[in-house]
């Protein structure tokens, strides 16, 4: 029988006695109390002697005020639902009520990964947080305002913590039972000391009512954690076994995280360890791994896989767990080759640690004596170790950190330095002066040919690509193309563009404000048999398989690596005057109406066409050309100028319409400042940094609006015709009331033509989500499109390639190249690659930006900077950014004594750089 | 659904569970052990294959195989030889299999360029070899990196294909299957000789370790605290919560913002925006290992060698992430600190301090025994019984009033007894070695009753360091020395035998500590836990860690004593709903081995398992004993109240860690005060030592068992 815990439990033994005033022969109660209080005087303040009945009574009162009342309030007022469990009020707390049987809420012990795409982080979701990676917490409250954009989470034991969404490592979607309005509430006034948690103001505390914790927030996380922990030893073994079947000895690669979890779920150790058929079982399981995509994910296995991988990172079996910032979930993990990394480093470590670090000591001696040639000859493994460390190829690896620290602590000129990736690079530069200027290019996830045999081999395949052979293999005819004749196609791009895959045209009918817009896109897929051969499902061509692994053209300040072989790009490129070039052309009619309030545009959806085309008239047009032509008012109205003016006018109207009717968000001034450009130094190496700001001009608006139009219309077309494709989507985050108002007012002012500036963006940035690829036609709320399907860059984006292949088959009225399941499983590697490249590009830009600052502070040690605050202070530190250098982000150390803390968006003047690690992207500043 | 069936291979005990030897189903039996065969041998019945029919194919293949053999299997790292041999056999097995396969569709096979660049399907090897000339020589030249003038022979192509296929078979198939990753997995190599590696964040910076050494009463802690006060982020790590509280109070008196962080008490000093103070005073067990500090002070660093609690000092010294770490302690710890700093690569500065006053051992023992005691004496004894006996005897035989201090007294009581003695209200202090650490006592003379001490199992002679630490308390602050000159401290005894031994100890050279006690962090324990079968009890893990690590232990580090941990763990380890990390946390709970306490602790643990919320008064505990009427009643012994006091202390300890499960500190505090009051009264009224006879009238029946623990 469960007892009401407020009841006295031991009353049968406690005899309520009328206290005898005299206690023993020589003393009464007063003198006992006096003696006691006298002695404790000055040692412990506020001591008062109370007798048991009084203590009990006061306890009951406090318990009622602090715990019972909020729980009752919550149950009665914050959970309004006819289906909520009927619990008598006196049993609300510690009732061990079985919620599952009574509620029809979805069971979060299992979920489909697509649920992560359907709903962004919301109250009810379970997460692992960076500061508490070992325990699940539940999201219980949304960001309240831009002043403090942190979510509130509670752990299983009810501890409340506050964190922005970028602290989330893993997320399990979960919806609260119907009718729950809130979990966290401000602690209401009672006459006792508050028990809640302070968030922003010390006089304002928040509580999670006990009943809400016991019924809602802790049950599933506890259950999932318990099972995950229990599974962990088996999951660890399974991953060890799977690793050897998944690893590619040629180089690291990424497996989609949910595929790996699926494999862990599916793997039957009994079968795998069977002496006779074990290897075959394992091989076929792994080779068919893409088929495990559609099984639901078991939440405990998901968590235990994550934990197990974190552990096995230290033995170099797994590399980085890549996180997607929209799904807030691991999206892939790098599988490290067994021999060239795992075994290699196991041996290196053993060798270096042997005999009390004898080899380390020898190496250090050579470094101290600056005998670099000997080092290169005798210790290539140490150089490799330093290189991998500098490149960021170790994750969560304490053993390696300790070993590297061991080395540097013995080198005279380094021993006082912090162990950073920068000093590893400094030492490498000493030993081998001609090493790579940006060691991040050796990062194994980035996978440039320099760092992986696998990529070298893929590059070789690209170099040997023989176009004729490709076209020979392709079957089917190509005579159904629409010839656009000498229609002017403007391929507006910069002078240095690598591949030109889009062009635009316009026809002005000169009446009724009617225009036809054309967006012509390069047609590389027509070269591949996949576009015509109905026997092929999915991708079969080697080149396309490599292109899928790359997924995108890699753009770094240092280098560009095209997604497709150069030969294919050259053959597909638009913009060669007079050359009949194949396209996929999108066209639509628009109608411009002039009213006194200005012009408005109507898109005639019924006129939208997708055609295979041929174009050949490419008037030369860079961004500068176009801006110059548009900006010259009195020159003769040439046909080119007329076209461009029409296009520019239409593009402005398109943008206006997106903003007004579809709530699109456009960033204004101050955004994307200080973009990194590299110039060759005297030796031809790209090491000289210059910064430029991204600027918006008529020509950039023209191009981007036309592309958005094509992608939006094609998205709609795919959705209406039920063609599976790779959509791009953006979901607005659910926000707290005030935060939502602040977001809405940003939208409102955008509609008035006032675009958010840097300060606004910094304030809002935590409230903004990221866009992501998906196989489902979800909205893209940032662009203001009901569906958005990218087709305009098939030479540099694999999703566009997939969509083009679908268009080819669709236009031929043949079975599609990819079914929905195939599309869904292709999303993961593509998204993973997108995330890796985005991060790599940011890291490189940060590296060069910080390098610039490092040199600057070396020349002028007293130099100070003004920074903008980007986060709420935590543990005495706050995030900050240099307003003119987008990639100079860091932390600002605050003095605990200072009475005034800066707010997000504030400028803090006169800060000095106290620590800088360019490779890690770490920057620390201090206010002078 | 997941792993319910038993496995044929014991994953967790069979060390080679993951190793799988390849099978050679097509290789003739006699070739399994003989390696240097390059040709392929068939029965007459198998004559129908390309190898037997096409002599140039045979010739090329044989030559290429011999080349591969020489190229890949000779002059190797000895470790790799057996595995490379297996790869060689596997390659031959593949070839046999395809040559024997009547369904092999070699003629219609069209190789792709990618397969030529990187042959990686041994199952298509023969088809690829037969058709290798279908690929243009331009491609071949590029692949083989031949210049245009070179002629490429079919043999060149065969060699390329076979080399790459061999590498594939070796690295992709055989090596992974034959490698025992358990051997090379970092998780398996937790190395007691290298606990510096457990703290990579601390290894990333070169810390400045500043050692303040000196005997008791030399002002070393003061210097360290001065430094701490001057920085933004810092931590004072004391040996007792009492001392942490003292520093906290001192800082507050000086208007320096500071948090308090001890096992039993947490006070966060928040400003009006909810930000904590940068400085914290706390116990050494509570130092946050991964938080960045400017200065950390570790007091009584010689405690590193303490069997029970030493791990906290050692791990803090190894692990705190702080640019400066100040260590305060005795000279005996110096070589140990030097060795550890050498290991971590940090920078070490040593500041030595002299004792503030003189200390001398008296020539002769006290005449007339107890009657020879005088105001300001501290009599040292090592059992609670002895201490309480002495108090009664002294108060009976002299007019002197006696304060007492011993280990199981609540810290607050200790403070009060010390205060009574220091302000002169009481004349004599009778104390255990609990006075050795921390408390400020104005003692003129330390009187040793014995030089023997019970170590839990047997009576042992005290070490000179122990005697020095206790004796050093004589002549401490505001000593009432008659001369008015340098404060002097004296040491003596009742017996000349004891005095002789004490003198020897005091005059002995410093006995340097040799080992630091350590214990793996929770994260490392968790990592090790995954090497055990699911459901392994926590105690088994800890015992195994202990055994394993003890084996590899070197001189510098030893392991924490497990006994007390295991006893505590035994109380809750069957509770499945307590998470592992919480079990590790709970294993450090200050549970005294008294039945009433362990029972209450078990109840508390059940609350954690069920995630309930309770006040201390919601437990079935004998709070009705907290009644004035019980004071004169001798059937309710001091020990009962000590148990109750320990339960209340435990409740505070748990409440700090689980503030949502264990609530209402107010009532717990009220109960604590009342309990303390009764203990004080009972002490004052001590007519006879309750430990002298077998207790009578005990309703709880736990006193007999506690007789075994008569040490203080």
């Amino acid at each position: 029988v469960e007892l009401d815990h407020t009841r006295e439990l031991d009353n049968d033994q406690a005899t309520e006695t009328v206290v005898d005033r005299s206690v023993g022969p020589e003393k009464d109660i007063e003198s006992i109390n006096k003696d006691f209080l006298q002695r404790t005087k000055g040692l412990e303040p506020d001591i008062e002697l109370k007798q048991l009945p009084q203590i009990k009574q006061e306890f009951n009162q406090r318990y009622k005020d602090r715990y019972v009342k909020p729980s009752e309030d919550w149950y009665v007022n914050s959970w309004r639902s006819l289906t909520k469990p009927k619990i008598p009020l006196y049993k609300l707390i510690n009732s061990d009520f079985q919620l599952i049987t009574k509620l029809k809420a979805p069971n979060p012990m299992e979920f489909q990964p697509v649920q992560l795409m359907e709903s962004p982080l919301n109250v009810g979701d379970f997460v692992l947080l960076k500061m508490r990676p070992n325990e699940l917490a539940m999201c219980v409250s949304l960001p309240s305002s831009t002043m403090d954009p942190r979510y509130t989470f509670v752990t299983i034991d009810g501890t409340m913590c506050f964190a922005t969404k970028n602290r989330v490592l893993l997320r399990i979607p979960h919806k609260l039972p119907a009718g729950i309005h809130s979990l966290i509430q401000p602690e209401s006034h009672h006459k006792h000391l508050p028990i809640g948690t302070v968030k922003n103001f010390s006089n304002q505390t928040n509580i999670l009512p006990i009943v809400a914790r016991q019924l809602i927030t802790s049950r599933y996380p506890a259950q999932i954690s318990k099972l995950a922990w229990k599974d962990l030893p088996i999951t660890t073994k399974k991953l060890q076994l799977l690793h050897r079947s998944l690893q590619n000895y040629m180089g690291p690669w990424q497996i989609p995280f949910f595929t790996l979890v699926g494999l862990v779920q599916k793997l039957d150790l009994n079968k795998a360890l069977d002496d006779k058929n074990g290897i075959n079982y394992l091989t076929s399981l792994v080779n068919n791994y893409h088929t495990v995509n559609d099984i639901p994910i078991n939440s405990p296995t998901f968590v235990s896989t994550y934990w197990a991988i974190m552990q096995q990172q230290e033995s170099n079996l797994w590399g980085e767990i890549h996180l997607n910032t929209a799904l807030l979930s691991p999206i892939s993990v790098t599988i490290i080759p067994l021999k060239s990394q795992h075994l290699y480093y196991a041996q290196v470590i053993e060798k270096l640690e042997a005999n009390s670090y004898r080899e380390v000591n020898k190496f250090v001696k050579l470094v101290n004596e600056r005998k670099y040639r000997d080092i290169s000859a005798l210790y290539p493994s140490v150089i490799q170790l330093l290189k991998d460390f500098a490149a960021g190829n170790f994750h969560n690896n304490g053993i390696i950190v300790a070993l590297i620290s061991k080395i540097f602590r013995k080198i005279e000129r380094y021993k006082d330095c912090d162990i950073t990736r920068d000093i590893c690079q400094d030492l490498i530069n000493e030993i081998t002066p001609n090493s790579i200027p940006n060691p991040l290019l050796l990062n194994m996830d980035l996978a440039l040919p320099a760092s992986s045999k696998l990529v070298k081999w893929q590059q070789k395949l690209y170099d040997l690509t023989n176009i004729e052979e490709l076209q020979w293999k392709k079957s089917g005819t190509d005579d159904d193309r629409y010839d656009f004749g000498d229609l002017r196609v403007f391929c507006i791009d910069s002078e240095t563009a690598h591949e030109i895959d889009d062009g635009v045209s316009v026809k002005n009918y000169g009446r009724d404000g009617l225009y036809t817009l054309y967006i012509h896109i390069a047609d590389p897929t027509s070269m591949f048999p996949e576009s015509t051969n109905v026997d092929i499902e999915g991708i079969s061509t080697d080149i396309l398989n490599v292109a899928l692994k790359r997924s995108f053209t890699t753009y770094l300040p240092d280098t560009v690596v095209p997604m497709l072989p150069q030969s294919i790009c050259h053959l597909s490129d638009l913009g060669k005057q007079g050359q009949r070039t194949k396209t996929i052309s999108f066209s639509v009619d628009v109608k411009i109406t002039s009213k006194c309030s200005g012009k408005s545009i109507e898109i005639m959806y019924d006129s939208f066409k997708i055609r295979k085309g041929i174009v050949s008239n490419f008037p030369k047009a860079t961004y500068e050309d176009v801006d110059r032509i548009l900006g010259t008012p009195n020159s003769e109205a040439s046909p080119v100028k007329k076209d461009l003016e029409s296009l520019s006018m239409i593009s402005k109207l398109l943008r206006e319409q997106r903003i007004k009717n579809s709530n699109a968000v456009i960033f204004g001034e101050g955004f994307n400042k200080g973009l990194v450009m590299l110039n060759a130094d005297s030796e031809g190496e790209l090491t000289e940094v210059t910064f430029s700001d991204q600027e918006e001009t008529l020509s950039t608006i023209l191009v981007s609006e036309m592309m958005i139009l094509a992608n939006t219309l094609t998205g709609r077309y795919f959705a209406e015709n039920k063609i599976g494709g790779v959509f791009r989507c953006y979901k607005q985050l659910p926000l707290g009331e005030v935060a939502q108002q602040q977001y809405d007012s940003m939208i409102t002012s955008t509609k008035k033509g006032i675009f958010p500036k840097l300060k606004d963006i910094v304030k809002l940035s935590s409230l903004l989500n990221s866009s992501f690829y998906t196989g489902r036609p979800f909205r893209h709320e940032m662009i203001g499109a009901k569906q958005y399907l990218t087709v305009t860059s098939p030479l540099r984006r694999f999703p566009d390639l997939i969509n083009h292949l679908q268009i080819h088959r669709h236009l031929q009225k043949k079975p599609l190249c990819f079914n929905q399941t195939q599309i869904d499983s292709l999303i993961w590697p593509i998204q993973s690659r997108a995330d890796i490249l985005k991060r790599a590009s940011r890291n490189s830009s940060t590296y060069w930006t910080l390098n610039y600052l490092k040199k600057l502070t070396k020349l002028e040690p007293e130099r100070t900077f003004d920074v903008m605050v980007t986060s709420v202070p935590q543990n005495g530190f706050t995030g900050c950014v240099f307003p003119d250098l987008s990639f100079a982000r860091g932390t600002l150390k605050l003095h605990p004594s200072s009475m005034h803390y800066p707010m997000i968006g504030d400028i803090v003047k006169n800060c000095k750089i106290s620590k800088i690690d360019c490779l890690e992207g770490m920057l620390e500043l201090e206010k002078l | 659904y997941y792993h319910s069936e038993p496995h044929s291979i014991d994953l967790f005990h069979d060390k080679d569970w993951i190793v799988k030897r390849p099978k050679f189903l097509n290789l003739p039996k006699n070739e399994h052990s003989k390696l240097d065969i390059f040709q392929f041998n068939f029965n007459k019945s198998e004559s129908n294959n390309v190898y037997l029919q096409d002599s140039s194919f045979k010739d090329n293949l044989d030559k290429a195989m011999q080349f591969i053999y020489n190229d890949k299997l000779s002059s190797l790292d000895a470790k790799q030889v057996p595995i490379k041999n297996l790869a060689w056999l596997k390659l031959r097995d593949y070839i046999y299999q395809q040559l024997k396969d009547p369904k092999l569709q070699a003629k219609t096979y069209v190789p792709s360029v990618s397969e030529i660049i990187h042959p990686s399907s041994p199952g298509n090897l023969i088809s690829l070899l037969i058709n290798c000339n279908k690929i243009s020589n331009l491609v071949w030249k590029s692949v083989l990196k031949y210049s245009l003038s070179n002629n490429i022979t079919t043999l060149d192509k065969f060699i390329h294909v076979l080399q790459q296929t061999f590498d594939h078979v070796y690295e992709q198939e055989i090596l992974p299957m034959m490698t025992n990753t358990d051997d090379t997995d970092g998780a398996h190599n937790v190395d007691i000789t290298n606990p510096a590696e457990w703290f990579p964040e601390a290894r990333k910076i070169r810390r400045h370790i500043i050692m303040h050494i000196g005997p008791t009463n030399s002002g070393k802690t003061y210097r360290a605290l001065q430094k701490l006060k001057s920085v933004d982020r810092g931590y004072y790590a004391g040996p007792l919560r009492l001392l942490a509280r003292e520093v906290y109070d001192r800082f507050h008196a000086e208007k320096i913002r500071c948090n308090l962080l001890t096992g039993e008490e947490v006070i966060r000093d928040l400003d009006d925006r909810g930000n904590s103070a940068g400085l914290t005073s706390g116990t050494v067990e509570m130092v946050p290992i991964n938080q960045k500090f400017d200065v950390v002070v570790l007091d009584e660093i010689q405690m590193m060698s303490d069997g029970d609690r030493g791990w906290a000092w050692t791990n803090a010294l190894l692990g705190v992430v702080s640019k400066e770490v100040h260590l305060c302690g005795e000279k005996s710890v110096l070589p140990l600190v030097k060795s550890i700093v050498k290991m971590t690569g940090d920078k070490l500065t040593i500041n030595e301090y002299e004792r503030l006053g003189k200390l001398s051992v008296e020539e002769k023992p006290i005449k007339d025994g107890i009657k020879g005691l005088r105001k300001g004496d501290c009599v040292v004894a090592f059992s609670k019984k002895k201490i309480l006996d002495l108090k009664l005897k002294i108060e009976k035989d002299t007019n002197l009033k006696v304060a007492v201090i011993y280990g199981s007294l609540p810290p607050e009581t200790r403070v009060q007894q010390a205060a009574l003695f220091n302000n002169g209200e009481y004349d004599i202090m009778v104390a255990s070695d609990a006075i050795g650490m921390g408390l400020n006592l104005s003692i003129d003379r330390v009187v040793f009753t014995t030089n023997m001490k019970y170590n839990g199992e047997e009576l042992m002679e005290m070490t000179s360091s122990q005697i020095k630490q206790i004796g050093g308390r004589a002549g401490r602050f505001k000593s009432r020395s008659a001369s008015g000159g340098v404060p002097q401290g004296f040491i003596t005894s009742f017996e000349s035998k004891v005095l002789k031994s004490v003198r020897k100890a005091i005059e002995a050279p410093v006995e340097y500590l040799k080992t630091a006690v350590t214990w793996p962090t929770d994260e490392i324990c968790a990592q090790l836990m995954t090497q055990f079968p699911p459901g392994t009890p926590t105690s088994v893990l800890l015992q195994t860690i202990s055994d394993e690590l003890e084996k590899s232990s070197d001189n510098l580090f030893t392991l924490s004593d497990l006994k007390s941990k295991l006893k505590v763990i035994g109380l809750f380890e069957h509770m499945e709903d307590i998470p592992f990390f919480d079990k590790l946390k709970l294993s450090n709970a200050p549970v005294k081995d008294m039945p009433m306490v362990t029972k209450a602790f078990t109840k508390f643990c059940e609350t954690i398992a069920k995630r309930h919320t309770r006040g201390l008064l919601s437990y079935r505990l004998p709070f009705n004993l907290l009644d004035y009427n019980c004071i004169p009643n001798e059937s309710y012994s001091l020990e009962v109240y000590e148990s109750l006091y320990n339960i209340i202390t435990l409740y505070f300890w748990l409440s700090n860690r689980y503030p949502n499960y264990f609530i209402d500190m107010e009532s717990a505090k009220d109960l604590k005060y009342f309990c303390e009051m009764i203990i004080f009264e009972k002490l004052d009224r001590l007519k006879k030592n309750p430990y002298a006879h077998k207790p009578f009238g005990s309703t709880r029946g736990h006193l007999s068992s506690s007789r075994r623990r008569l040490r203080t």
Side-chain angles (χ1 to χ4, degrees), chain A residues 9 27 33 39-40 62 66 213 226 240 244 247 315 342 353 357 406 415-416 419 542 893, chain B residues 114 172 176 179 181-182 184-185 194 197 204 206 233 416 577 613 618 628 664 666 681 684:
Chain A
L9 291 173
K27 265 177 141 174
N33 287 357
R39 286 163 166 176
T40 55
R62 281 191 301 266
R66 283 170 172 167
R213 167 170 63 78
K226 182 180 155 184
Q240 232 175 314
R244 55 191 52 198
Q247 64 101 24
S315 42
H342 168 84
E353 287 184 346
Y357 299 92
K406 200 86 192 170
K415 70 179 181 191
D416 285 322
I419 304 301
D542 284 340
K893 187 176 172 182
Chain B
S114 64
Q172 194 67 37
T179 305
T181 15
D182 281 355
T184 49
D185 203 336
N194 216 345
E197 273 191 14
K204 279 188 183 170
R206 185 158 194 247
R233 288 158 191 81
Q416 287 157 22
D577 286 324
T613 293
S618 346
Y628 289 105
D664 204 63
E666 288 96 331
E681 270 305 308
D684 279 349

Side-chain angles (χ1 to χ4, degrees), chain A residues 243-249 253 335-338, chain B residues 171-172 176:
Chain A
H243 178 272
R244 55 191 52 198
S245 301
L246 290 168
Q247 64 101 24
N248 186 334
Y249 79 96
W253 65 284
I335 303 175
I336 298 182
L338 188 75
Chain B
E171 293 203 35
Q172 194 67 37

Side-chain angles (χ1 to χ4, degrees), chain A residues 483-498:
Chain A
D483 193 337
F484 287 91
D486 62 353
L487 179 73
R488 279 180 297 277
V489 177
F490 299 97
C491 298
I492 307 172
D493 222 321
S494 65
E495 205 74 64
T496 56
H498 289 268

